Amino acid sequence: MELKASKTRLAHTLENYENQKAGFDFLGFNIRQYKVGKYTSGRDTKGRLLGFKTLVTPSKESQERHYRRICEEIEKLKGQSQAVLISKLNPIIRGWCNYFSTGVSKRIFTKLSYLTSWKLWKWGVKRHQNKGRKWISSKYFRTIGGDNWTFATSREGSNPMVLMKHSQTAIVRHVKVKGDKSPYDGDLIYWSSRRGTHPEMPKPTASLLKKQKGKCAHCGLFFRDGDLIEVDHIIPKSRGGKNEYKNNQLLHRHCHDEKSRTDGSYSKGVSIIPENYRWENDMLVTC
Ligand SMILES: [Zn+2]
Protein backbone atom coordinates (compact mmCIF):
# COMPACT_ATOMS: atom_id res chain seq x y z
CA MET A 1 0.00 0.00 0.00
CA GLU A 2 1.31 3.48 -0.87
CA LEU A 3 0.95 6.27 1.65
CA LYS A 4 0.77 9.91 0.59
CA ALA A 5 2.81 12.04 2.98
CA SER A 6 0.25 14.86 2.90
CA LYS A 7 -2.55 12.48 3.84
CA THR A 8 -0.68 10.48 6.41
CA ARG A 9 -0.17 11.24 10.06
CA LEU A 10 1.17 9.08 12.77
CA ALA A 11 -1.43 8.88 15.47
CA HIS A 12 -0.95 7.61 18.95
CA THR A 13 -3.93 5.42 19.62
CA LEU A 14 -3.55 5.24 23.40
CA GLU A 15 -2.49 8.63 24.70
CA ASN A 16 -2.88 12.24 23.65
CA TYR A 17 0.33 13.35 21.97
CA GLU A 18 1.49 16.91 21.21
CA ASN A 19 -2.04 18.36 21.50
CA GLN A 20 -3.48 15.74 19.19
CA LYS A 21 -6.26 13.61 20.57
CA ALA A 22 -5.46 9.93 20.84
CA GLY A 23 -6.82 7.77 18.06
CA PHE A 24 -7.56 8.46 14.43
CA ASP A 25 -10.43 8.48 11.96
CA PHE A 26 -10.59 5.98 9.14
CA LEU A 27 -13.44 5.46 6.69
CA GLY A 28 -15.83 7.24 9.06
CA PHE A 29 -14.74 5.24 12.10
CA ASN A 30 -12.76 6.53 15.05
CA ILE A 31 -10.21 4.08 16.33
CA ARG A 32 -8.60 4.52 19.72
CA GLN A 33 -7.43 2.55 22.69
CA TYR A 34 -8.20 2.84 26.37
CA LYS A 35 -6.09 1.75 29.30
CA VAL A 36 -7.96 -0.86 31.29
CA GLY A 37 -7.36 -3.24 34.18
CA LYS A 38 -6.47 -6.89 33.75
CA TYR A 39 -10.06 -8.17 33.74
CA THR A 40 -11.20 -6.18 30.72
CA SER A 41 -7.86 -5.91 28.94
CA GLY A 42 -7.49 -7.14 25.40
CA ARG A 43 -4.98 -9.94 24.76
CA ASP A 44 -2.45 -10.46 22.03
CA THR A 45 -2.45 -13.48 19.75
CA LYS A 46 -0.53 -15.49 22.37
CA GLY A 47 -3.07 -14.64 25.07
CA ARG A 48 -0.86 -12.14 26.92
CA LEU A 49 -2.50 -9.09 28.55
CA LEU A 50 -2.18 -5.88 26.55
CA GLY A 51 -3.36 -3.44 29.23
CA PHE A 52 -5.64 -1.64 26.81
CA LYS A 53 -8.76 -2.17 24.82
CA THR A 54 -9.40 -1.03 21.26
CA LEU A 55 -12.59 0.89 20.67
CA VAL A 56 -14.01 1.49 17.21
CA THR A 57 -16.86 3.99 16.98
CA PRO A 58 -18.41 6.25 14.35
CA SER A 59 -16.18 9.34 14.12
CA LYS A 60 -17.49 12.69 15.35
CA GLU A 61 -17.44 14.01 11.83
CA SER A 62 -19.47 11.09 10.56
CA GLN A 63 -22.07 11.47 13.33
CA GLU A 64 -22.40 15.16 12.59
CA ARG A 65 -22.70 14.62 8.85
CA HIS A 66 -25.40 12.00 9.40
CA TYR A 67 -27.38 14.17 11.79
CA ARG A 68 -27.08 17.12 9.40
CA ARG A 69 -28.49 14.97 6.62
CA ILE A 70 -31.50 14.03 8.81
CA CYS A 71 -32.10 17.69 9.66
CA GLU A 72 -31.85 18.74 6.01
CA GLU A 73 -34.33 16.05 4.99
CA ILE A 74 -36.80 17.13 7.69
CA GLU A 75 -36.41 20.75 6.61
CA LYS A 76 -36.84 19.89 2.92
CA LEU A 77 -40.02 17.89 3.58
CA LYS A 78 -41.69 20.27 5.97
CA GLY A 79 -44.77 20.58 3.77
CA GLN A 80 -45.13 16.80 3.31
CA SER A 81 -47.09 14.23 5.29
CA GLN A 82 -45.65 12.26 8.19
CA ALA A 83 -45.74 9.08 6.06
CA VAL A 84 -43.56 10.67 3.36
CA LEU A 85 -41.12 11.91 5.98
CA ILE A 86 -40.84 8.43 7.52
CA SER A 87 -40.34 6.78 4.13
CA LYS A 88 -37.48 9.19 3.33
CA LEU A 89 -35.78 9.02 6.73
CA ASN A 90 -35.90 5.26 7.28
CA PRO A 91 -33.41 4.29 4.54
CA ILE A 92 -31.01 7.04 5.68
CA ILE A 93 -31.10 5.82 9.28
CA ARG A 94 -30.99 2.14 8.34
CA GLY A 95 -28.04 2.60 6.00
CA TRP A 96 -25.99 4.53 8.52
CA CYS A 97 -26.74 2.16 11.40
CA ASN A 98 -25.97 -0.82 9.21
CA TYR A 99 -22.60 0.65 8.30
CA PHE A 100 -21.66 1.31 11.91
CA SER A 101 -23.24 -1.74 13.53
CA THR A 102 -19.82 -3.36 13.93
CA GLY A 103 -18.55 -0.41 15.95
CA VAL A 104 -19.21 -0.21 19.66
CA SER A 105 -21.83 2.43 19.18
CA LYS A 106 -24.71 1.87 21.60
CA ARG A 107 -24.21 5.22 23.32
CA ILE A 108 -23.90 7.04 20.00
CA PHE A 109 -26.99 5.33 18.57
CA THR A 110 -28.98 6.34 21.68
CA LYS A 111 -27.81 9.94 21.36
CA LEU A 112 -28.78 10.08 17.67
CA SER A 113 -32.23 8.59 18.43
CA TYR A 114 -32.79 11.27 21.00
CA LEU A 115 -31.61 14.08 18.71
CA THR A 116 -33.78 12.81 15.84
CA SER A 117 -36.90 12.61 18.05
CA TRP A 118 -36.22 16.11 19.30
CA LYS A 119 -35.91 17.44 15.73
CA LEU A 120 -39.18 15.71 14.76
CA TRP A 121 -40.92 17.14 17.80
CA LYS A 122 -39.88 20.63 16.65
CA TRP A 123 -41.13 19.71 13.16
CA GLY A 124 -44.57 18.91 14.66
CA VAL A 125 -44.66 22.05 16.79
CA LYS A 126 -43.86 24.22 13.76
CA ARG A 127 -46.67 22.64 11.72
CA HIS A 128 -49.34 23.22 14.34
CA GLN A 129 -48.48 26.45 16.05
CA ASN A 130 -51.97 26.86 17.56
CA LYS A 131 -52.09 23.38 19.12
CA GLY A 132 -50.95 22.25 22.55
CA ARG A 133 -48.06 19.91 23.27
CA LYS A 134 -50.36 17.02 24.21
CA TRP A 135 -52.21 17.27 20.91
CA ILE A 136 -48.97 17.27 18.92
CA SER A 137 -47.44 14.34 20.76
CA SER A 138 -50.57 12.22 20.32
CA LYS A 139 -50.81 13.11 16.64
CA TYR A 140 -47.26 12.10 15.70
CA PHE A 141 -45.82 9.93 18.46
CA ARG A 142 -46.97 6.52 19.72
CA THR A 143 -45.91 4.16 22.46
CA ILE A 144 -44.27 1.15 20.84
CA GLY A 145 -42.33 -1.42 22.84
CA GLY A 146 -42.39 0.80 25.94
CA ASP A 147 -40.96 3.77 24.05
CA ASN A 148 -43.34 6.75 24.23
CA TRP A 149 -41.50 8.69 21.57
CA THR A 150 -41.83 6.51 18.51
CA PHE A 151 -42.54 8.67 15.48
CA ALA A 152 -45.30 6.73 13.69
CA THR A 153 -48.52 7.28 11.77
CA SER A 154 -51.87 6.46 13.34
CA ARG A 155 -52.67 2.77 13.83
CA GLU A 156 -56.08 3.32 12.22
CA GLY A 157 -54.45 4.09 8.88
CA SER A 158 -54.42 1.38 6.23
CA ASN A 159 -50.64 1.16 6.19
CA PRO A 160 -49.20 2.44 9.47
CA MET A 161 -45.57 3.55 9.24
CA VAL A 162 -43.00 3.62 12.00
CA LEU A 163 -39.73 5.55 11.97
CA MET A 164 -36.73 3.39 12.58
CA LYS A 165 -34.67 4.28 15.64
CA HIS A 166 -30.89 4.26 15.75
CA SER A 167 -31.08 2.77 19.23
CA GLN A 168 -32.81 -0.37 17.94
CA THR A 169 -29.72 -1.33 16.01
CA ALA A 170 -28.09 -4.51 17.24
CA ILE A 171 -24.34 -4.20 17.70
CA VAL A 172 -22.45 -6.78 15.70
CA ARG A 173 -19.12 -7.70 17.24
CA HIS A 174 -16.37 -7.62 14.69
CA VAL A 175 -14.54 -10.87 14.21
CA LYS A 176 -10.82 -10.40 13.61
CA VAL A 177 -9.09 -11.81 10.57
CA LYS A 178 -7.58 -15.08 11.69
CA GLY A 179 -3.95 -16.08 11.56
CA ASP A 180 -1.71 -15.50 8.60
CA LYS A 181 -4.25 -14.69 5.89
CA SER A 182 -3.20 -11.69 3.85
CA PRO A 183 -5.71 -8.84 3.55
CA TYR A 184 -5.75 -9.70 -0.12
CA ASP A 185 -7.59 -12.93 0.73
CA GLY A 186 -10.32 -11.40 2.78
CA ASP A 187 -10.99 -7.90 1.65
CA LEU A 188 -12.25 -8.23 -1.86
CA ILE A 189 -14.14 -4.95 -1.84
CA TYR A 190 -11.31 -2.95 -0.31
CA TRP A 191 -8.66 -4.19 -2.74
CA SER A 192 -10.93 -3.96 -5.77
CA SER A 193 -11.85 -0.37 -4.88
CA ARG A 194 -8.22 0.64 -4.52
CA ARG A 195 -6.80 -1.08 -7.57
CA GLY A 196 -9.78 -1.38 -9.91
CA THR A 197 -8.75 -4.96 -10.39
CA HIS A 198 -8.67 -8.12 -8.34
CA PRO A 199 -8.07 -11.71 -9.44
CA GLU A 200 -11.36 -12.87 -7.88
CA MET A 201 -13.56 -9.93 -8.85
CA PRO A 202 -15.11 -9.58 -12.31
CA LYS A 203 -13.27 -6.76 -14.10
CA PRO A 204 -16.31 -4.51 -14.75
CA THR A 205 -17.31 -4.71 -11.08
CA ALA A 206 -13.81 -3.94 -9.86
CA SER A 207 -13.55 -0.89 -12.11
CA LEU A 208 -16.97 0.33 -10.96
CA LEU A 209 -15.82 -0.03 -7.36
CA LYS A 210 -12.75 2.02 -8.17
CA LYS A 211 -14.74 4.65 -10.06
CA GLN A 212 -17.14 4.98 -7.10
CA LYS A 213 -14.18 5.04 -4.68
CA GLY A 214 -15.69 2.09 -2.85
CA LYS A 215 -18.91 3.94 -2.06
CA CYS A 216 -22.56 3.24 -2.82
CA ALA A 217 -23.81 5.65 -5.48
CA HIS A 218 -27.14 6.05 -3.69
CA CYS A 219 -26.34 6.66 -0.02
CA GLY A 220 -22.67 7.62 -0.37
CA LEU A 221 -21.49 5.23 2.37
CA PHE A 222 -18.56 2.89 1.89
CA PHE A 223 -19.31 -0.69 0.94
CA ARG A 224 -18.20 -3.13 3.58
CA ASP A 225 -17.67 -6.84 3.78
CA GLY A 226 -21.03 -8.46 4.38
CA ASP A 227 -22.99 -5.82 2.46
CA LEU A 228 -25.26 -7.02 -0.29
CA ILE A 229 -24.13 -5.07 -3.34
CA GLU A 230 -25.96 -5.01 -6.64
CA VAL A 231 -25.46 -3.62 -10.13
CA ASP A 232 -28.01 -0.97 -11.01
CA HIS A 233 -28.79 0.60 -14.37
CA ILE A 234 -28.61 4.36 -13.87
CA ILE A 235 -31.23 4.79 -16.58
CA PRO A 236 -33.52 1.76 -16.17
CA LYS A 237 -33.90 -0.64 -19.09
CA SER A 238 -37.63 0.12 -19.06
CA ARG A 239 -36.71 3.68 -20.03
CA GLY A 240 -34.24 2.75 -22.72
CA GLY A 241 -31.13 2.46 -20.55
CA LYS A 242 -28.53 -0.01 -21.85
CA ASN A 243 -26.62 -2.69 -20.03
CA GLU A 244 -23.23 -1.08 -20.54
CA TYR A 245 -20.42 0.13 -18.30
CA LYS A 246 -21.30 3.82 -18.37
CA ASN A 247 -24.95 3.12 -17.43
CA ASN A 248 -24.00 0.83 -14.56
CA GLN A 249 -23.44 1.65 -10.93
CA LEU A 250 -23.11 -0.33 -7.72
CA LEU A 251 -25.61 0.09 -4.90
CA HIS A 252 -26.39 -1.56 -1.59
CA ARG A 253 -29.30 -3.94 -2.03
CA HIS A 254 -31.52 -1.83 0.24
CA CYS A 255 -30.52 1.33 -1.65
CA HIS A 256 -31.22 -0.45 -4.94
CA ASP A 257 -34.68 -1.48 -3.71
CA GLU A 258 -35.36 2.09 -2.75
CA LYS A 259 -34.21 3.50 -6.10
CA SER A 260 -36.19 0.86 -8.04
CA ARG A 261 -39.40 1.87 -6.32
CA THR A 262 -39.12 5.37 -7.72
CA ASP A 263 -37.30 5.13 -11.06
CA GLY A 264 -39.73 2.85 -12.90
CA SER A 265 -37.42 -0.17 -13.15
CA TYR A 266 -38.85 -3.62 -12.62
CA SER A 267 -35.99 -6.10 -12.64
CA LYS A 268 -34.43 -7.40 -9.44
CA GLY A 269 -30.77 -6.73 -8.98
CA VAL A 270 -28.06 -9.34 -9.15
CA SER A 271 -25.49 -9.60 -6.39
CA ILE A 272 -21.92 -8.78 -7.46
CA ILE A 273 -20.29 -11.27 -5.14
CA PRO A 274 -18.87 -14.08 -7.27
CA GLU A 275 -20.78 -17.35 -6.97
CA ASN A 276 -17.96 -19.32 -5.41
CA TYR A 277 -17.78 -16.95 -2.46
CA ARG A 278 -19.80 -16.72 0.70
CA TRP A 279 -19.69 -14.48 3.76
CA GLU A 280 -18.37 -15.85 6.99
CA ASN A 281 -17.59 -13.73 10.05
CA ASP A 282 -17.28 -10.58 7.98
CA MET A 283 -14.90 -12.25 5.56
CA LEU A 284 -15.35 -13.46 2.05
CA VAL A 285 -14.32 -17.07 1.88
CA THR A 286 -14.19 -19.39 -1.09
CA CYS A 287 -16.77 -22.15 -1.06
ZN1 LIG B 1 -26.21 2.55 -0.22
Side-chain angles (χ1 to χ4, degrees):
M1 183 158 96
E2 279 174 57
L3 297 172
K4 267 211 178 94
S6 60
K7 291 196 172 163
T8 310
R9 110 183 144 86
L10 284 172
H12 202 290
T13 52
L14 188 57
E15 273 159 302
N16 294 342
Y17 179 72
E18 288 183 351
N19 296 328
Q20 292 185 347
K21 269 199 131 177
F24 60 96
D25 289 349
F26 184 65
L27 302 183
F29 285 90
N30 177 265
I31 294 131
R32 65 167 298 183
Q33 294 170 321
Y34 292 84
K35 278 184 195 159
V36 287
K38 64 177 171 183
Y39 294 110
T40 43
S41 167
R43 284 166 189 276
D44 68 12
T45 48
K46 298 212 167 82
R48 291 173 297 212
L49 289 175
L50 292 169
F52 59 81
K53 213 175 186 164
T54 305
L55 232 67
V56 182
T57 53
S59 69
K60 254 233 140 71
E61 196 199 332
S62 164
Q63 293 173 50
E64 282 167 6
R65 202 180 318 119
H66 173 61
Y67 182 58
R68 237 186 352 257
R69 173 134 190 242
I70 289 176
C71 293
E72 281 164 11
E73 208 65 30
I74 293 172
E75 181 62 27
K76 202 167 79 190
L77 298 170
K78 63 182 169 209
Q80 300 281 343
S81 71
Q82 184 184 22
V84 169
L85 190 52
I86 292 173
S87 71
K88 292 286 183 191
L89 289 179
N90 269 350
I92 296 173
I93 296 172
R94 190 180 310 117
W96 196 84
C97 289
N98 182 41
Y99 182 74
F100 288 109
S101 62
T102 50
V104 188
S105 319
K106 197 86 206 151
R107 195 177 50 85
I108 290 164
F109 286 166
T110 305
K111 183 178 84 182
L112 281 163
S113 294
Y114 172 80
L115 285 172
T116 305
S117 296
W118 173 250
K119 194 80 201 172
L120 289 166
W121 165 253
K122 304 289 270 186
W123 171 86
V125 170
K126 226 184 234 169
R127 280 164 87 89
H128 306 282
Q129 289 176 356
N130 54 345
K131 299 282 187 194
R133 280 157 193 272
K134 252 204 164 126
W135 187 93
I136 293 166
S137 72
S138 66
K139 180 160 176 67
Y140 294 116
F141 293 89
R142 341 247 143 242
T143 303
I144 295 176
D147 183 346
N148 297 336
W149 290 96
T150 307
F151 191 70
T153 59
S154 151
R155 269 186 250 267
E156 284 98 69
S158 54
N159 197 6
M161 294 186 72
V162 180
L163 186 78
M164 170 175 175
K165 287 212 169 192
H166 299 80
S167 51
Q168 293 162 337
T169 305
I171 308 294
V172 184
R173 297 283 167 196
H174 195 77
V175 181
K176 276 220 188 99
V177 178
K178 267 232 177 77
D180 49 15
K181 280 200 147 199
S182 84
Y184 213 80
D185 295 330
D187 220 335
L188 192 58
I189 291 170
Y190 175 80
W191 288 106
S192 304
S193 305
R194 284 193 61 104
R195 301 162 54 101
T197 163
H198 187 289
E200 304 294 344
M201 181 69 90
K203 176 71 187 148
T205 311
S207 37
L208 280 175
L209 275 170
K210 187 168 188 207
K211 187 165 99 180
Q212 295 178 210
K213 299 190 168 71
K215 293 179 193 173
C216 168
H218 188 76
C219 68
L221 296 170
F222 285 102
F223 291 123
R224 299 190 56 215
D225 284 3
D227 282 353
L228 296 164
I229 306 171
E230 295 180 345
V231 180
D232 169 59
H233 297 119
I234 299 169
I235 302 165
K237 277 181 164 170
S238 59
R239 294 197 183 159
K242 292 207 179 80
N243 184 20
E244 58 189 359
Y245 179 74
K246 62 175 186 202
N247 191 38
N248 286 352
Q249 62 183 1
L250 301 175
L251 305 177
H252 291 110
R253 175 173 288 176
H254 59 264
C255 291
H256 193 198
D257 285 346
E258 204 203 2
K259 178 178 179 270
S260 300
R261 272 204 297 277
T262 51
D263 74 355
S265 42
Y266 47 85
S267 60
K268 269 259 29 98
V270 182
S271 175
I272 64 153
I273 302 304
E275 261 173 34
N276 56 332
Y277 272 85
R278 67 193 152 79
W279 292 108
E280 198 174 85
N281 295 338
D282 264 8
M283 289 205 15
L284 268 181
V285 293
T286 328
C287 298

